[in-house]
Amino acid sequence: MSRNFVTPIGDEGIYTLDTGSWRTFKPIMNKDKCIECGICMSYCPVGSITGNEQKIYTIGYEFCKGCGICAYECPSQAINMAKEGD
Ligand code: SF4
Ligand code: SF4
């Protein structure tokens, strides 16, 4: 499913932000280290991390901008930032 991440602010009016294209580093989640706390989902500024009823958290890369906040905030060091394309 394709979504548009838009902003209504600015001289140009509403426009689409392709935040996924900003990424030079990519978060990789190690499920073995994940303690299923959901903190990464709470902190992601573009809503790229989702969780289901079973507390399985997944990073979606369509809008992930590679900021690294999820990796920084993870209490279990379950997310590492890797160079995009590696
Ligand atoms: S913050 Fe870390 S431990 Fe918590 S759900 Fe996210 S990846 Fe798992
Ligand atoms: S790197 Fe930033 S944008 Fe990507 S999932 Fe983590 S917090 Fe969200």
Side-chain angles (χ1 to χ4, degrees):
M1 182 179 70
S2 182
R3 295 179 299 154
N4 283 336
F5 197 77
V6 299
T7 176
I9 301 170
D11 294 340
E12 297 163 30
I14 293 176
Y15 53 92
T16 302
L17 289 178
D18 183 13
T19 48
S21 70
W22 300 356
R23 197 170 56 238
T24 54
F25 284 89
K26 180 177 187 173
I28 307 291
M29 189 184 291
N30 181 341
K31 305 275 187 190
D32 292 336
K33 292 175 89 176
C34 177
I35 58 172
E36 303 172 342
C37 65
I39 288 175
C40 54
M41 184 176 73
S42 302
Y43 274 92
C44 177
V46 293
S48 280
I49 302 177
T50 54
N52 64 16
E53 303 80 40
Q54 287 77 42
K55 292 190 172 178
I56 305 295
Y57 294 93
T58 306
I59 299 171
Y61 294 108
E62 189 179 3
F63 289 101
C64 167
K65 56 185 176 176
C67 65
I69 292 174
C70 54
Y72 183 82
E73 295 294 342
C74 175
S76 188
Q77 288 79 50
I79 301 176
N80 290 308
M81 300 303 291
K83 197 109 190 281
E84 181 75 31
D86 280 357

